[in-house]
Amino acid sequence: MNSYSPTERSRVKRIHERGRYDKETVFAIVDAALMCHIGYIIKGQPYVTPTFHWREGERLYWHGSSASRMIETVEQGVPVCFTASLLDGIVVARSGFHHSANYRAVMAFGTAKLVSEADKEKSLEIFMERCFPGRWPTLRPVTKQEIKATKILSMEIEEASAKIRTGPPKDDEEDYALPIWAGVVPVRTVIDPPVDDPRVLPGVAAPAHIRGLRIG
Amino acid sequence: MNSYSPTERSRVKRIHERGRYDKETVFAIVDAALMCHIGYIIKGQPYVTPTFHWREGERLYWHGSSASRMIETVEQGVPVCFTASLLDGIVVARSGFHHSANYRAVMAFGTAKLVSEADKEKSLEIFMERCFPGRWPTLRPVTKQEIKATKILSMEIEEASAKIRTGPPKDDEEDYALPIWAGVVPVRTVIDPPVDDPRVLPGVAAPAHIRGLRIG
């Protein structure tokens, strides 16, 4: 199974030719996004919480402490929408109507569960190594109390779809004759050089896993 | 009323000292974010759709066509969570536990409604002028059919909270003596120079409202 099967829940409905369901595409977008937005319901009210995530195979993980409202109910398993989106450009057309965006987005559906106490430390290590390869062994070791205070949620992807737009605007054919500028304004997320904590000890410089940090 | 009153729904629960409820802060984050994530429910399933938004006073607007699933039910009014988030930096600590992020985020709650046919054209103009000041009058005028095909959703903010983290890591006091690098890796979203549509007419250059485009 190299693709998710589109269902009523996951099928891209508007401009369906932008929809993609193959796992390679879905995973590439998930992995390229530094942050995600988690949608969940409490007492009929939707909530959307931004957080960091990572992926292991078909399973998504995210840091639960910033979504503590979710923690309260998640132990029974709650339906979740995981959305990762990357804005690549603003698409500027000759008519207002055809203005658009170049983007890569994934919506993934499943049931969120808490990662067990036994599995949490390993998960945290994988998360840290995803962000900063080689950093984990250099840190002050994690304590039992800290592990206890951390919540990690995980969700096996039941269904997912990706939606991608690339390229120049698509104007109405007759509008291409108009002397109006059109094109794409590229948008990027960049990482600037690291800023030392004022209390870093003298002679301790940012290591390679920080200086070489890249997004995705 | 210069502040939203925190309720069970909107109160920042985890690390509550990061919570802010004054409208000035909430509006500044909403206006600085180019995109938002809209959470809504259909048949008990949460959905999170990324889209562009704008604000007029206490009212949020977003482009509805990319959330066409929502359109199907929104005419009765649906509860919505509007989340705007800006990642400002990755906070790197001396222990795994104190790694964090610098960010500005808003969660706003209310009931989404379709903007009426009569008000849509004006709304589209405001949206366009928010993104590209001065562009609207230079475009091929919008047609009745295009207005009909566009959906705009709006929501008066009933409740909202902002959550902000800034500054260096907060390590355990004894860990500051360790020879481990710590600090912040700044993250920014940048706009690159515009790329002409290959079919732009000769001599038509990107206007000032495109060359001077800024985020937020």
Side-chain angles (χ1 to χ4, degrees):
Chain A
M1 293 284 287
N2 295 318
S3 276
Y4 295 103
S5 301
T7 66
E8 177 57 31
R9 179 167 67 167
S10 64
R11 190 184 305 275
V12 172
K13 295 184 77 167
R14 182 175 171 271
I15 317 189
H16 59 83
E17 63 274 22
R18 293 184 189 164
R20 302 274 291 275
Y21 304 92
D22 61 289
K23 292 182 181 179
E24 192 183 341
T25 300
V26 168
F27 294 165
I29 294 170
V30 167
D31 295 348
L34 195 55
M35 292 189 69
C36 66
H37 284 75
I38 303 291
Y40 53 99
I41 305 170
I42 298 176
K43 294 179 187 168
Q45 171 68 52
Y47 289 82
V48 178
T49 299
T51 191
F52 287 105
H53 67 275
W54 66 103
R55 180 181 67 83
E56 296 169 37
E58 312 250 339
R59 192 168 272 279
L60 301 172
Y61 291 79
W62 61 93
H63 205 261
S65 52
S66 57
S68 63
R69 277 191 175 77
M70 197 192 320
I71 300 286
E72 294 169 13
T73 46
V74 79
E75 292 185 70
Q76 297 90 32
V78 294
V80 159
C81 177
F82 167 104
T83 296
S85 62
L86 296 152
L87 179 63
D88 295 323
I90 301 167
V91 177
V92 182
R94 294 156 182 87
S95 65
F97 188 71
H98 288 296
H99 281 66
S100 185
N102 283 338
Y103 60 90
R104 290 163 287 159
V106 160
M107 286 173 82
F109 300 98
T111 302
K113 287 186 172 62
L114 276 178
V115 170
S116 73
E117 289 299 316
D119 294 336
K120 267 200 289 190
E121 185 169 351
K122 189 68 199 165
S123 268
L124 284 174
E125 181 179 343
I126 291 169
F127 176 30
M128 185 69 74
E129 288 293 303
R130 186 220 164 186
C131 299
F132 316 103
R135 185 166 183 80
W136 184 259
T138 72
L139 295 174
R140 187 266 286 152
V142 70
T143 67
K144 280 211 173 75
Q145 250 179 332
E146 288 175 339
I147 293 173
K148 209 173 163 184
T150 305
K151 301 287 184 187
I152 301 171
L153 295 169
S154 103
M155 175 183 105
E156 189 170 345
I157 303 174
E158 290 168 10
E159 296 173 15
S161 60
K163 201 171 175 183
I164 298 175
R165 191 204 185 282
T166 60
K170 289 192 180 120
D171 272 304
D172 293 346
E173 192 50 43
E174 59 272 27
D175 290 343
Y176 283 96
L178 296 171
I180 299 172
W181 186 84
V184 173
V185 182
V187 177
R188 274 183 310 138
T189 301
V190 296
I191 283 182
D192 285 336
V195 177
D196 289 354
D197 180 345
R199 295 180 67 184
V200 160
L201 297 187
V204 175
H209 64 250
I210 295 295
R211 285 180 283 111
L213 198 66
R214 296 191 318 144
I215 288 178
Chain B
M1 293 282 286
N2 296 317
S3 277
Y4 295 102
S5 301
T7 65
E8 177 58 31
R9 181 167 65 167
S10 64
R11 189 185 305 276
V12 171
K13 297 184 77 168
R14 182 173 172 272
I15 317 188
H16 59 84
E17 63 274 21
R18 293 184 190 164
R20 301 274 292 274
Y21 305 92
D22 61 288
K23 292 181 182 179
E24 193 183 340
T25 300
V26 168
F27 294 165
I29 294 171
V30 167
D31 295 349
L34 194 57
M35 291 188 70
C36 66
H37 284 75
I38 304 291
Y40 53 98
I41 304 170
I42 297 177
K43 295 179 188 170
Q45 171 68 51
Y47 289 82
V48 178
T49 299
T51 190
F52 287 104
H53 67 276
W54 64 106
R55 180 181 66 85
E56 295 169 38
E58 313 250 339
R59 192 167 272 280
L60 301 171
Y61 291 80
W62 61 92
H63 206 260
S65 52
S66 57
S68 63
R69 277 189 174 78
M70 198 192 320
I71 300 287
E72 293 168 14
T73 46
V74 79
E75 291 185 71
Q76 298 91 33
V78 294
V80 159
C81 177
F82 167 105
T83 295
S85 62
L86 295 152
L87 179 64
D88 294 323
I90 301 167
V91 177
V92 182
R94 294 157 182 86
S95 66
F97 188 71
H98 288 295
H99 281 67
S100 185
N102 283 337
Y103 60 89
R104 292 163 286 159
V106 160
M107 285 173 81
F109 300 98
T111 301
K113 287 186 173 60
L114 276 179
V115 170
S116 73
E117 289 299 315
D119 294 336
K120 266 199 291 189
E121 184 168 355
K122 189 68 197 164
S123 268
L124 285 174
E125 181 179 344
I126 291 168
F127 176 31
M128 185 69 75
E129 288 295 302
R130 185 219 164 186
C131 299
F132 317 102
R135 184 165 182 82
W136 183 260
T138 72
L139 295 174
R140 187 265 287 154
V142 70
T143 68
K144 282 210 172 76
Q145 250 179 332
E146 288 175 340
I147 294 173
K148 209 173 162 184
T150 305
K151 301 287 183 187
I152 301 171
L153 295 169
S154 105
M155 175 184 104
E156 190 171 343
I157 302 174
E158 291 168 9
E159 297 172 13
S161 60
K163 200 171 177 184
I164 298 176
R165 191 203 187 281
T166 59
K170 289 191 180 120
D171 272 303
D172 292 347
E173 192 51 43
E174 61 270 27
D175 290 342
Y176 284 96
L178 297 171
I180 299 172
W181 186 85
V184 173
V185 182
V187 176
R188 275 184 309 137
T189 301
V190 297
I191 284 183
D192 286 334
V195 177
D196 291 353
D197 180 344
R199 294 180 66 183
V200 160
L201 297 186
V204 175
H209 64 250
I210 295 295
R211 284 180 284 113
L213 199 65
R214 296 192 318 144
I215 288 178

